Amino acid sequence: MGTASSLVNPGEVIEDTYGGGGGEACEIPVEVKPKARLLRSSFRRAPRVIGASFKSTASVDLEYAAEYERLKKEYEIFRVSKNNEIAAMQKKEVKLDEENKRLRAELQALQKTYQKILREKESAVETKYQAMERAATFEHDRDKVKRQFKIFRETKEKEIQDLLRAKRELEAKFQRLQAQGIQMFDPGESDSDDNGTEVTVPGTQCDFWTGGALGSEPSMGSMMQLQQSFRGPEFAHSSIDVEGPFANVNRDDWDAAVTSLLQVTPLFSQALWSNTVRCYLMNTKDTQAEVDIFLREYAPKLQRVCETLGYFFQVVYFPEECERHYMPVKKWEIEKSSLVILFLASPLPSGLWEDCKEAFLRNTEAKPRIIYHKMGGGTLAVDCVQQLLEQDPNKSNRTKTIDHWGDPEEGAHKTYCQVEQVIRQDLLGGEISDPDAKDDPAVKEDEDFGDLLWDVHDEQEQMERFQQASQSTCELGFQKYFDRLNDLVAAPAPIPPLLISGGPGSGKSLLLSKWIQLQQKHSPNTLILYHFVGRPLTTSSEPALIIKRLTLKLMQHSWSVSSFSMDPGKFLEEFPHWLEKLSIRYQGNIIIIIDSIDQIQQSEKHMKWLIDPLPVNVRVIVSVNVETCPQTWRLWPTLHLDPLNSKDVKSLISMECNGANIELTKEQERKLERHCRSATTCNALYVTLLAKILIWAGSTGNIADVLQLCMQCQDTVSLYRLALRCVQEFMPSASDKDLMREVLCLISVSHNGVSECELMDLCPGLTWPVLTFLVYHMNKMALLGYSCGLLQFQHLQAWEAVRMEYMQGGQNIVSEYREKLIQHFAAELSQDRVTWRSADELTWLFQQQGEKQKLQRCLMNLFVAQNLYKRGHFAELLSYWQLVGKDKISMATEYFDALKQYEKSCEGEESMTRLADLYETLGQFLKDLGLLGQAVIPLQRSLEIRETALDPDHPSVAQSLHQLAGVYLQSKKFGNAEQLYKQALEITENAYGSEHLRVARELNALAVLYQKQNKFEQAEQLRKKSLKIRQKAARRKGSMYEFALLRRRALQLEELTLGKDTPDNARTLNELGVLYYLQNNLETAEMFLQRSLEMRERVLGPDHPDCAQSLNNLAALYNEKKHYDKAEELYERALDIRRRALSPDHPSLAYTVKHLAVLYKRKGKLDKAVPLYELAVDIRQKSFGPKHPSVATALVNLAVLYCQMKKQADALPLYERAMKIYEDSLGRMHPRVGETLKNLAVLRYEEGDFERAAELYKRAMEIKETETSVLGVKAPSGHSSSGGDTYSLRNTLPAGAFPE
């Protein structure tokens, strides 16, 4: 056992056996108890207490020896036992310490868990709902993926079989030809296909592209009709005949109609689509006083009128001395002009007469014209006026005449009044009002899409870029590329984006624009969203604005007005969700096209959604330059644009030169052919520019010298520099050459371009004749073009050429020209003129110059910030503040302080209304920043101001209530939000009636509120009511900007129909009829459709398919007017013609069959309807195959008809077959399956099989509840190929037959 010291020594390490440290060694200090210490000390002191003699000491030793030994043994026993006790207690202490630590850790963990549970308690309900939504989405996605995989596997198996069979046939053919001694080309020696089109996927053998094999069958997921129309573009195929009866025009029909109409925009002049009101003035000498007064006093007023409506106003006036040298320029300006004014008092001189003939007698587009006739000039002047009016080829009465006796001041004022009326009514479609009056903010909001912020200039810029990209008349051998793009649409999902690559100027934009036109013509059911990116650092290359624009387009087509944060960080999160949501509802393909995607700032970062799997019916096409394509994108399927071959080069140059009556000699053609052989000299842009330079040289008679100079240019930029030098040499004087340099440099350093008005202010020595002369020649050389009324470079290479030619000084000269622009726009701000131009350009220029203090002062201009935010440029506004170095809180504080300061100077109703608008804008801005607490204060202040300055029941008060309720909703203060929403709804209904779009907005907002409170039944009722109002309003108005364009397009079409009887004019009349129907003007629509039918019968004959189209459209219109007998007669005639003229499975025949069958059913002629419904089933089976959803819809329609005829036995197998098709193609939880189950339940109920009926009805209700939980409202089931005329027998159930 040993001594006590051997048990536990100081500093000794013993092993912990209680598991607290997992077998680790721990050091236990030795403690000696006081009792043991006392015994030890007394024993040691004993000898010193006894006497000092030796004897006494010895006797003590002997006497106490036995006692000593006994005590020693007892002590040793006591010591050992106590040491053992101490060791045991120490072990217990260590164990207890470890247990205590463990318990404390557990307690802390429990406390953290408890705090976490408390924090998550408020969001538990929302989390539960989201989990249910994700579960339903997962179930739906799983079914969809199964279907996609099944389709993909079957398609690939068929492709493999086809390829093996084709391989065997080719090998056999190859052997036969070799046996005949014919040498064959080995395909293995080439990387491209027969057309020279390279379609590669690095590292794989065409994983996603297999030529025509994939296009042989339509994709089940896309449900797209692949049949092409019989005659080319037909408007009826895009609006009336596509989906559903004409009497039920819905959002998809409207979108298809808009797409079909707007696809022809490149065929019309720029004046129809321009963002500039161009007023061309002409005058005789004796009316010079009126012209001077008009230019001095009234042109600035008209400019303010147009600025308030978002347009530029431009007066083009050539003085009398500008005659012969400017004739082509004047003709070009007259063609571009929106309005021509002739000031006349005496007979017209010869030069002016030529201008008048161009303006009045060749006015093919029937643009407004005004003649100011100053009386007293003699009979010759009167005869001139009469001759101009009589020889007007349009007979459209669009020429206004002002006869005036009096002084020039009064005459100029009369002209001004007439011009203002023409601008507001004829050109811009507005109402006459005070030009200095501010627009009512409540009126403006009707043009917004719900609460979303929309920039009409961004949309117009895209339309103009699309027009510019598609202007070339030469296809450049694009058919082989079109086939590849068509394969992409027809290929089964899932597939990644298609990459179109090529060098700069290879024709990528032209290819995409031409293909978009073909898709709009032949596949009107396909939704195409496109974006053409301009040069870097422009608005069109801002990633946040691109994603926002595409997202808003998706929201428009999905009939949703949900709240949408303007935070750019959330765009990337929201866009894929909206794409998925729309893809579920949209019956047809969705194609997203982004041209020059590599020019987008930080494209890889902001376009991450391209990497994720796309929905089954979504296709994405992007174009890039080969040199700048990101490496990760090179793995996508690629369609590479090859350089032009010698035949295409010759064809393109010949076409351009022949159009300008320029003939090249054989020697010159050979030189061009030898020159255009390298990759840089064979691209489309280089060859086009080369042809334009030769045309320009031919007009000056100097082709040989210019051609020699062109031979020295080996790339597009150097050729552009040659074009610049040619135009500069052609300028009349040295000062004009300097002005040319200054104009081009100003355009080069600007953000989005410069308008002609701005150039006139920026360049003091610049005159209109010089500017128009310069722009004319620059446009002919493909250097400059117009976009939203601004002069911009047509191509990136032109911009680079200008910077290399004129801005060799580097950053210093760039800063110098930018300072000029800054001074110009800053002067506008100092005059309290805040336009979209000054807000865009000035902030961007300060950012580029790095002038943070000036940028901050500019941003603190409340109207600049309001302009940027209201036009949706939220991301730019944030980036500017980040550059200044301000965070969200500082930003909010500074704006609020500035508003308080501005409020002190506000007096009167108008200024207080503007103040309320500013407070509301600040509140919305803070809400988007996520500062909900700070957003309440400015919104409450805006509400107080409007209630005081206007009226408590004014619509603007409802707007403030709506915005404030939105903040409370996001803050989860549902009680406050509900109260405010209800107040806003009451005010809106009293002000506008119960069927106004704003009422729909309030109803939708209340529905969102109830949904967040899990009051799904109330939310669904409100959403249905809101959707009904919006659909009804869409028929009257259309959608926002598109409707305004259609209205102007209708006016143009009316003028084009006044010519001779031709098939084109008949088609135009047909388009007009549909346009007026979409505007709910049935009488006018009937007139145009009737005229179209009569003209087609005269020109084409009564049995032509186009006559069937007109008959079909007229029948649909009579169906809408409930003139069923007339509709029946016309449908029968149309069906007879199409049966004889078209193939049995043609879509047009199917549409007519369907509409006539529906009409027979409506009139109770069920026996006549049965064979038509059976024919519809046969047509759809031949067109799409027996397992397509459209076949199922046709089967359901036939089954419903049998049920109405009491033939339940015939209906039952049709229902079961339709449900099987729906489940296999759309999934077991699709709404169409639910509808079919309800109909089957009714059928079983009528047969007396109540148990089976209850089972089917219960499953149908489960599908409906799942759909409601996922989408928040019952989604429309979409259009089938049969038009969605499925009839549900739900209403035939007896009351209380099944529980809801």
Side-chain angles (χ1 to χ4, degrees):
M1 183 174 177
T3 63
S5 62
S6 68
L7 296 177
V8 179
N9 292 328
E12 184 177 355
V13 178
I14 68 173
E15 188 176 9
D16 182 11
T17 62
Y18 291 91
E24 294 180 1
C26 57
E27 182 176 345
I28 302 177
V30 175
E31 291 186 19
V32 180
K33 299 298 181 180
K35 184 176 180 180
R37 188 165 56 248
L38 179 62
L39 289 172
R40 193 181 303 116
S41 62
S42 62
F43 176 77
R44 290 173 181 172
R45 287 195 303 268
R48 289 191 297 268
V49 176
I50 303 174
S53 68
F54 178 76
K55 182 181 179 180
S56 62
T57 303
S59 64
V60 168
D61 291 338
L62 294 173
E63 189 174 320
Y64 289 101
E67 184 68 12
Y68 171 78
E69 289 296 328
R70 185 182 61 81
L71 290 174
K72 181 178 179 181
K73 289 179 181 179
E74 290 178 356
Y75 171 75
E76 287 296 328
I77 294 169
F78 176 81
R79 189 170 67 83
V80 169
S81 64
K82 290 302 178 181
N83 284 336
N84 289 337
E85 289 178 5
I86 291 170
M89 292 179 67
Q90 287 175 344
K91 290 180 180 180
K92 283 186 180 180
E93 183 180 4
V94 171
K95 182 177 180 180
L96 290 173
D97 286 341
E98 294 294 333
E99 187 70 10
N100 184 42
K101 291 179 182 178
R102 184 180 64 79
L103 292 175
R104 284 182 177 277
E106 290 180 357
L107 179 60
Q108 292 176 356
L110 288 173
Q111 288 176 341
K112 291 181 180 178
T113 305
Y114 175 72
Q115 294 295 330
K116 183 178 180 182
I117 292 174
L118 286 180
R119 288 194 301 270
E120 293 178 351
K121 184 178 179 180
E122 292 182 354
S123 61
V125 176
E126 186 71 17
T127 304
K128 178 182 176 182
Y129 173 74
Q130 291 175 355
M132 293 171 58
E133 183 178 4
R134 287 194 298 271
T137 305
F138 176 79
E139 181 74 17
H140 176 76
D141 290 344
R142 185 179 63 183
D143 291 339
K144 186 162 64 173
V145 169
K146 286 182 179 178
R147 296 194 307 272
Q148 292 173 1
F149 178 76
K150 179 182 177 183
I151 296 167
F152 181 80
R153 185 186 61 192
E154 293 174 352
T155 305
K156 287 299 179 183
E157 288 174 354
K158 184 177 181 302
E159 289 170 11
I160 292 171
Q161 293 173 1
D162 291 341
L163 288 172
L164 291 175
R165 184 169 55 253
K167 179 184 177 182
R168 288 193 296 269
E169 293 173 355
L170 286 174
E171 288 175 348
K173 184 177 179 180
F174 184 80
Q175 292 172 359
R176 287 197 304 270
L177 292 174
Q178 279 188 332
Q180 298 173 10
I182 300 175
Q183 295 297 323
M184 296 297 296
F185 172 74
D186 185 7
E189 297 176 0
S190 175
D191 293 330
S192 60
D193 59 10
D194 294 339
N195 294 326
T197 307
E198 185 180 353
V199 185
T200 61
V201 183
T204 182
Q205 294 291 331
C206 281
D207 289 344
F208 302 98
W209 293 91
T210 59
L214 289 181
S216 60
E217 292 185 3
S219 167
M220 186 69 73
S222 67
M223 291 182 288
M224 174 191 171
Q225 299 180 24
L226 299 180
Q227 288 79 4
Q228 303 301 324
S229 94
F230 180 71
R231 297 169 298 278
E234 255 193 22
F235 182 68
H237 278 245
S238 60
S239 69
I240 299 175
D241 281 348
V242 170
E243 301 285 354
F246 188 38
N248 297 318
V249 173
N250 48 33
R251 178 70 185 190
D252 291 337
D253 296 336
W254 170 264
D255 291 335
V258 169
T259 300
S260 181
L261 278 174
L262 299 187
Q263 72 175 352
V264 296
T265 54
L267 304 178
F268 288 85
S269 70
Q270 184 189 12
L272 177 60
W273 304 95
S274 175
N275 198 49
T276 302
V277 176
R278 305 182 72 87
C279 182
Y280 189 88
L281 297 187
M282 300 182 292
N283 71 299
T284 55
K285 289 183 179 180
D286 34 17
T287 57
Q288 189 64 43
E290 284 89 342
V291 172
D292 293 340
I293 295 171
F294 182 85
L295 292 173
R296 183 178 64 252
E297 297 184 8
Y298 297 112
K301 290 185 178 181
L302 292 171
Q303 184 175 356
R304 288 199 302 273
V305 169
C306 294
E307 279 182 358
T308 57
L309 298 173
Y311 285 76
F312 295 107
F313 177 76
Q314 189 62 62
V315 177
V316 181
Y317 175 63
F318 288 89
E320 187 179 359
E321 59 270 14
C322 299
E323 287 293 339
R324 189 170 185 179
H325 191 61
Y326 289 92
M327 282 303 295
V329 181
K330 292 163 74 173
K331 180 181 177 181
W332 187 60
E333 284 294 337
I334 292 173
E335 291 175 355
K336 289 193 302 176
S337 64
S338 316
L339 170 66
V340 173
I341 307 175
L342 171 61
F343 290 87
L344 176 66
S346 58
L348 296 172
S350 59
L352 190 57
W353 175 246
E354 289 298 322
D355 291 347
C356 288
K357 286 197 295 185
E358 185 66 36
F360 290 88
L361 306 185
R362 298 170 190 153
N363 182 19
T364 57
E365 296 175 6
K367 299 175 188 175
R369 302 294 187 242
I370 296 176
I371 298 178
Y372 169 80
H373 181 207
K374 187 173 184 178
M375 307 298 288
T379 58
L380 292 177
V382 176
D383 292 342
C384 288
V385 174
Q386 194 66 27
Q387 184 178 1
L388 289 174
L389 295 176
E390 288 178 354
Q391 295 183 9
D392 182 4
N394 295 291
K395 308 295 182 188
S396 57
N397 203 22
R398 300 294 294 277
T399 302
K400 316 291 184 184
T401 304
I402 304 172
D403 295 323
H404 175 64
W405 293 86
D407 61 350
E409 287 277 356
E410 185 181 354
H413 183 264
K414 281 187 175 182
T415 306
Y416 160 74
C417 294
Q418 186 64 57
V419 171
E420 183 189 14
Q421 182 179 0
V422 168
I423 290 175
R424 289 184 175 273
Q425 288 186 333
D426 296 345
L427 298 179
L428 305 184
E431 297 295 331
I432 300 177
S433 62
D434 182 7
D436 297 322
K438 301 293 182 185
D439 294 333
D440 185 358
V443 175
K444 284 183 180 178
E445 193 186 347
D446 273 350
E447 298 301 320
D448 291 343
F449 192 77
D451 294 332
L452 305 178
L453 303 176
W454 183 272
D455 191 355
V456 71
H457 298 106
D458 292 344
E459 190 62 26
Q460 182 175 352
E461 180 184 17
Q462 285 305 307
M463 295 183 63
E464 291 182 345
R465 287 192 182 279
F466 173 73
Q467 291 184 72
Q468 178 184 338
S470 57
Q471 281 177 351
S472 174
T473 57
C474 185
E475 295 293 343
L476 303 176
F478 280 169
Q479 186 57 49
K480 57 186 178 183
Y481 303 127
F482 292 156
D483 294 339
R484 296 294 186 180
L485 292 171
N486 292 334
D487 287 344
L488 172 73
V489 175
I495 57 175
L498 173 65
L499 198 69
I500 298 181
S501 68
S506 57
K508 300 181 293 294
S509 302
L510 176 61
L511 169 66
L512 289 175
S513 60
K514 293 290 186 182
W515 186 72
I516 290 173
Q517 289 178 313
L518 291 175
Q519 285 293 309
Q520 290 173 337
K521 180 193 300 183
H522 298 303
S523 302
N525 244 11
T526 300
L527 172 61
I528 300 178
L529 306 179
Y530 61 81
H531 189 90
F532 288 84
V533 180
R535 66 176 176 85
L537 301 180
T538 59
T539 301
S540 65
S541 64
E542 285 285 342
L545 292 179
I546 295 172
I547 298 298
K548 185 203 75 172
R549 175 178 173 270
L550 294 177
T551 305
L552 296 187
K553 285 285 188 182
L554 292 175
M555 294 176 71
Q556 280 184 315
H557 285 86
S558 63
W559 280 100
S560 176
V561 288
S562 302
S563 59
F564 186 75
S565 173
M566 297 303 295
D567 187 353
K570 295 183 179 179
F571 289 151
L572 291 177
E573 300 176 11
E574 294 291 336
F575 179 71
H577 297 160
W578 281 107
L579 188 59
E580 176 68 24
K581 185 180 293 187
L582 180 60
S583 68
I584 294 174
R585 299 183 180 186
Y586 193 80
Q587 295 299 327
N589 277 359
I590 301 173
I591 301 176
I592 299 176
I593 298 173
I594 304 179
D595 179 49
S596 301
I597 192 172
D598 51 323
Q599 299 296 332
I600 297 176
Q601 303 166 27
Q602 297 180 324
S603 56
E604 287 187 89
K605 174 184 176 182
H606 293 95
M607 296 294 159
K608 288 182 179 178
W609 58 273
L610 291 171
I611 304 174
D612 299 330
L614 298 170
V616 65
N617 59 336
V618 175
R619 305 290 184 269
V620 176
I621 302 172
V622 297
S623 71
V624 294
N625 283 334
V626 175
E627 298 85 356
T628 57
C629 177
Q631 190 64 35
T632 55
W633 293 358
R634 296 178 186 268
L635 301 177
W636 294 344
T638 303
L639 176 62
H640 185 74
L641 268 62
D642 300 320
L644 301 181
N645 55 40
S646 57
K647 180 180 177 181
D648 289 336
V649 170
K650 185 176 180 180
S651 173
L652 180 55
I653 294 177
S654 299
M655 183 179 295
E656 293 282 351
C657 292
N658 292 339
N661 295 321
I662 301 296
E663 293 186 5
L664 301 177
T665 65
K666 296 294 184 181
E667 179 62 27
Q668 291 170 345
E669 290 180 356
R670 283 194 293 270
K671 283 185 178 180
L672 289 172
E673 186 176 354
R674 288 195 299 269
H675 176 67
C676 297
R677 288 184 176 178
S678 65
T680 56
T681 59
C682 280
N683 69 58
L685 180 57
Y686 182 94
V687 177
T688 302
L689 180 59
L690 180 60
K692 290 183 179 296
I693 292 177
L694 294 177
I695 292 170
W696 182 86
S699 63
T700 60
N702 194 22
I703 291 184
D705 295 339
V706 172
L707 180 59
Q708 191 62 34
L709 295 173
C710 291
M711 298 296 104
Q712 302 173 13
C713 301
Q714 297 300 318
D715 56 56
T716 308
V717 174
S718 61
L719 197 60
Y720 263 124
R721 295 183 69 178
L722 174 62
L724 287 172
R725 290 192 287 270
C726 290
V727 175
Q728 189 171 19
E729 290 298 323
F730 196 64
M731 297 299 289
S733 64
S735 60
D736 293 343
K737 295 176 183 178
D738 293 337
L739 288 171
M740 170 184 165
R741 174 194 179 100
E742 188 169 1
V743 165
L744 292 175
C745 290
L746 287 169
I747 297 173
S748 174
V749 301
S750 65
H751 187 196
N752 293 312
V754 185
S755 71
E756 291 161 303
C757 299
E758 293 164 353
L759 287 173
M760 292 294 293
D761 295 336
L762 286 162
C763 306
L766 191 61
T767 61
W768 271 113
V770 173
L771 179 59
T772 54
F773 182 84
L774 172 62
V775 174
Y776 170 78
H777 289 287
M778 289 291 178
N779 184 268
K780 295 301 180 185
M781 289 286 198
L783 278 158
L784 293 181
Y786 290 95
S787 177
C788 288
L790 303 175
L791 287 171
Q792 295 181 347
F793 294 105
Q794 290 191 23
H795 300 281
L796 180 62
Q797 291 88 337
W799 176 70
E800 293 174 353
V802 169
R803 295 178 78 88
M804 293 175 65
E805 187 73 14
Y806 297 129
M807 307 181 74
Q808 294 292 340
Q811 193 61 35
N812 292 333
I813 191 168
V814 171
S815 299
E816 178 184 342
Y817 282 109
R818 281 180 178 161
E819 282 299 326
K820 288 187 178 182
L821 291 172
I822 288 174
Q823 293 174 9
H824 169 76
F825 290 113
E828 284 190 358
L829 284 188
S830 65
Q831 301 169 8
D832 293 332
R833 286 177 57 197
V834 179
T835 62
W836 67 278
R837 285 288 298 142
S838 56
D840 272 357
E841 289 289 333
L842 197 54
T843 49
W844 182 84
L845 288 167
F846 283 141
Q847 181 195 44
Q848 295 299 310
Q849 293 290 85
E851 299 179 357
K852 297 182 180 180
Q853 293 183 349
K854 293 182 179 180
L855 175 60
Q856 183 173 357
R857 286 198 297 269
C858 182
L859 293 173
M860 287 308 299
N861 185 312
L862 298 172
F863 294 100
V864 169
Q866 183 186 43
N867 188 290
L868 288 172
Y869 178 77
K870 284 293 186 182
R871 290 171 40 241
H873 291 231
F874 181 83
E876 289 183 53
L877 195 55
L878 279 186
S879 67
Y880 295 146
W881 277 109
Q882 290 170 358
L883 178 65
V884 171
K886 298 289 184 179
D887 58 10
K888 296 179 180 180
I889 304 298
S890 303
M891 208 189 318
T893 303
E894 294 199 23
Y895 273 133
F896 197 76
D897 293 342
L899 262 176
K900 285 291 186 184
Q901 191 66 29
Y902 176 76
E903 187 174 354
K904 297 177 182 178
S905 62
C906 291
E907 295 180 359
E909 180 180 328
E910 182 180 338
S911 60
M912 294 303 291
T913 302
R914 286 201 299 267
L915 177 64
D917 294 343
L918 290 171
Y919 270 117
E920 182 182 85
T921 302
L922 177 58
Q924 291 177 280
F925 181 63
L926 296 178
K927 182 180 73 172
D928 285 333
L929 286 174
L931 305 176
L932 300 181
Q934 291 88 332
V936 172
I937 300 175
L939 289 175
Q940 285 179 336
R941 181 59 183 147
S942 172
L943 177 61
E944 294 170 2
I945 294 173
R946 284 173 173 168
E947 287 180 334
T948 304
L950 299 173
D951 187 85
D953 294 328
H954 194 275
S956 295
V957 175
Q959 167 71 7
S960 292
L961 291 168
H962 178 89
Q963 296 295 343
L964 187 57
V967 175
Y968 285 139
L969 177 63
Q970 289 192 19
S971 304
K972 293 184 171 53
K973 298 180 180 179
F974 299 134
N976 295 345
E978 182 176 4
Q979 181 182 359
L980 295 178
Y981 276 139
K982 287 182 176 178
Q983 291 180 24
L985 177 61
E986 181 181 358
I987 294 173
T988 305
E989 285 183 333
N990 292 335
Y992 297 106
S994 59
E995 294 188 351
H996 196 271
L997 278 174
R998 294 196 195 171
V999 176
R1001 185 187 68 164
E1002 302 302 336
L1003 290 171
N1004 192 78
L1006 270 173
V1008 172
L1009 173 64
Y1010 287 143
Q1011 181 179 317
K1012 288 185 177 294
Q1013 295 176 289
N1014 295 335
K1015 301 177 181 178
F1016 299 119
E1017 186 175 351
Q1018 293 172 269
E1020 182 175 357
Q1021 292 174 356
L1022 292 175
R1023 284 188 188 276
K1024 285 181 177 179
K1025 189 175 180 182
S1026 172
L1027 182 61
K1028 185 176 180 181
I1029 294 173
R1030 291 183 180 280
Q1031 288 176 334
K1032 189 172 182 179
R1035 292 183 58 186
R1036 297 191 305 265
K1037 175 182 176 181
S1039 62
M1040 207 170 53
Y1041 184 60
E1042 293 170 346
F1043 183 81
L1045 296 177
L1046 288 176
R1047 185 175 184 273
R1048 296 165 70 184
R1049 168 83 163 107
L1051 295 175
Q1052 295 293 322
L1053 290 174
E1054 285 189 45
E1055 307 306 331
L1056 293 175
T1057 60
L1058 300 175
K1060 300 178 181 179
D1061 289 354
T1062 64
D1064 288 340
N1065 281 343
R1067 180 176 59 83
T1068 303
L1069 286 168
N1070 182 71
E1071 292 183 15
L1072 273 174
V1074 178
L1075 266 177
Y1076 279 109
Y1077 175 82
L1078 293 174
Q1079 299 176 34
N1080 210 29
N1081 189 345
L1082 301 184
E1083 300 303 325
T1084 307
E1086 180 181 359
M1087 179 189 69
F1088 279 110
L1089 290 175
Q1090 188 66 43
R1091 286 177 58 190
S1092 173
L1093 175 60
E1094 293 170 356
M1095 187 178 295
R1096 279 174 167 170
E1097 288 178 338
R1098 288 194 300 268
V1099 176
L1100 304 173
D1103 295 331
H1104 195 276
D1106 284 357
C1107 295
Q1109 181 193 45
S1110 294
L1111 288 167
N1112 191 84
N1113 294 351
L1114 263 177
L1117 185 137
Y1118 287 135
N1119 191 29
E1120 166 75 4
K1121 297 172 72 174
K1122 295 182 172 55
H1123 296 169
Y1124 298 130
D1125 292 338
K1126 291 184 178 179
E1128 179 181 351
E1129 178 187 356
L1130 295 175
Y1131 271 139
E1132 288 175 344
R1133 287 178 56 191
L1135 179 59
D1136 181 60
I1137 294 173
R1138 285 181 165 171
R1139 269 181 165 167
R1140 287 184 277 107
L1142 305 178
S1143 60
D1145 59 346
H1146 196 278
S1148 296
L1149 178 60
Y1151 301 146
T1152 306
V1153 167
K1154 177 191 65 178
H1155 296 161
L1156 183 55
V1158 172
L1159 183 59
Y1160 280 151
K1161 187 170 67 174
R1162 181 178 288 120
K1163 296 183 67 177
K1165 298 181 179 181
L1166 303 183
D1167 293 335
K1168 285 189 173 184
V1170 168
L1172 292 181
Y1173 275 112
E1174 291 174 344
L1175 179 59
V1177 173
D1178 293 338
I1179 291 175
R1180 297 194 184 283
Q1181 287 186 147
K1182 292 177 182 177
S1183 300
F1184 307 112
K1187 296 184 180 181
H1188 196 275
S1190 62
V1191 176
T1193 304
L1195 290 169
V1196 171
N1197 293 337
L1198 181 57
V1200 171
L1201 187 62
Y1202 281 145
C1203 288
Q1204 290 179 328
M1205 299 172 70
K1206 306 302 181 184
K1207 297 181 179 180
Q1208 279 79 5
D1210 294 332
L1212 180 60
L1214 298 177
Y1215 276 136
E1216 291 176 344
R1217 181 184 168 195
M1219 188 170 68
K1220 181 69 168 57
I1221 294 174
Y1222 280 144
E1223 288 179 340
D1224 291 343
S1225 59
L1226 303 178
R1228 294 176 57 83
M1229 303 302 291
H1230 195 274
R1232 284 295 175 88
V1233 178
E1235 294 169 5
T1236 310
L1237 285 169
K1238 283 197 291 185
N1239 288 349
L1240 266 173
V1242 174
L1243 186 60
R1244 292 295 189 182
Y1245 182 87
E1246 291 175 349
E1247 291 179 344
D1249 190 353
F1250 302 119
E1251 183 178 352
R1252 180 59 176 162
E1255 180 184 344
L1256 293 170
Y1257 192 77
K1258 180 181 179 182
R1259 186 182 163 201
M1261 290 300 99
E1262 290 175 354
I1263 293 175
K1264 179 181 178 182
E1265 290 172 1
T1266 302
E1267 180 188 12
T1268 303
S1269 66
V1270 173
L1271 300 177
V1273 62
K1274 181 179 179 182
S1277 56
H1279 299 297
S1280 70
S1281 300
S1282 67
D1285 53 352
T1286 304
Y1287 174 74
S1288 175
L1289 295 178
R1290 176 70 182 91
N1291 296 329
T1292 65
L1293 276 173
F1298 297 111
E1300 287 290 346

